[in-house]
Amino acid sequence: MGINNQHEINGNPSIEELCSEFDLSTKEKDLICSWAFMSEKIMHGTPSGIDNSVATYGGVVTFCSGSMTPQSDLVGLDILLTNTCVGRNTRQLVATVRERYDMFPLVVEQILEAVEKLSLSALNTLQACRVKQFSDCAEEFSRLESLVDMNQGLLASLGVSHPSLEKVIQITAGHGLHTKLTGAGGGGVAFSLVTPGTEKIKVDQAKFELEQAGFKCYTAYIGGAGVRAWNLSSV
């Protein structure tokens, strides 16, 4: 996922305007990815490798049974990212899910299975949008919005939501946006789906209200380019 921070409110020129970009070799990207993975291990213990891989190589990947599969040409949706500014302890959140599993194994197994089926349904829907080149996809976008809501409900039932996340969900829902937690939950960042049919004024109003509530907002898009580099000596 690539975060687009090109629209600076202070009007200063961006790094793209000041410096010349250069291509990173596969070897250099592999090294960056390995460093990022080490930092993930320090922070989270046993990370999946998804975050560092997508941040380095870009695009969209699916993750199943420890295996990542790149998905091509799934670019066509924007996202509103909201930083709750609430820190989280991933290890503790994983432990919370484990505790619930130990108490209610049959229930939690069903929830996790439902999360997997929702993820596969979302992937199938995105692939259907790709066939249509993300044009005339109102039905598919509505399905994705429903899947976002359902996924958030399932994750909350596992104990990984947070009052700050629920506040973000409440505010964005008031403007017609569909929002869920990202990563381990427990605070951190939430994302709201912004389809081509979403009115810009609704997104702007949601951002304003979120920022008034003390949150930080960013715009992003699915399927970013990954890590990029610029030559500062050219300034």
Side-chain angles (χ1 to χ4, degrees), residues 147-177:
L147 289 168
V148 166
D149 295 339
M150 294 165 66
N151 186 250
Q152 172 60 28
L154 290 171
L155 294 173
S157 72
L158 292 174
V160 296
S161 191
H162 186 274
S164 63
L165 290 166
E166 297 300 327
K167 181 66 174 179
V168 172
I169 292 167
Q170 178 186 25
I171 291 174
T172 54
H175 299 281
L177 301 180

Side-chain angles (χ1 to χ4, degrees), residues 59-62 70-77 122-123 125-131 134 221-224:
V60 177
V61 301
T62 56
Q71 303 293 324
S72 61
D73 300 324
L74 293 183
V75 180
L77 293 175
L123 175 61
T125 304
L126 284 170
Q127 290 173 335
C129 292
R130 178 178 61 192
V131 172
F134 286 85
Y221 57 92
I222 291 178

Side-chain angles (χ1 to χ4, degrees), residues 1-4 54 58-61 71-81 122-123 126 129 134 141 144 148 191-195 219-226:
M1 180 182 295
I3 298 178
N4 182 356
V54 173
V60 177
V61 301
Q71 303 293 324
S72 61
D73 300 324
L74 293 183
V75 180
L77 293 175
D78 291 336
I79 291 173
L80 173 64
L81 293 175
L123 175 61
L126 284 170
C129 292
F134 286 85
F141 295 153
L144 287 172
V148 166
F191 87 76
S192 306
L193 193 62
V194 181
T195 70
T219 54
Y221 57 92
I222 291 178

Side-chain angles (χ1 to χ4, degrees), residues 207-218:
K207 287 175 64 177
F208 176 79
E209 191 172 343
L210 288 165
E211 289 170 350
Q212 289 293 107
F215 303 121
K216 296 180 180 179
C217 298
Y218 311 88

Side-chain angles (χ1 to χ4, degrees), residues 31-49:
L31 181 60
I32 292 170
C33 190
S34 67
W35 286 346
F37 184 62
M38 288 303 298
S39 68
E40 288 277 299
K41 292 178 71 174
I42 293 170
M43 291 293 294
H44 305 312
T46 54
S48 65

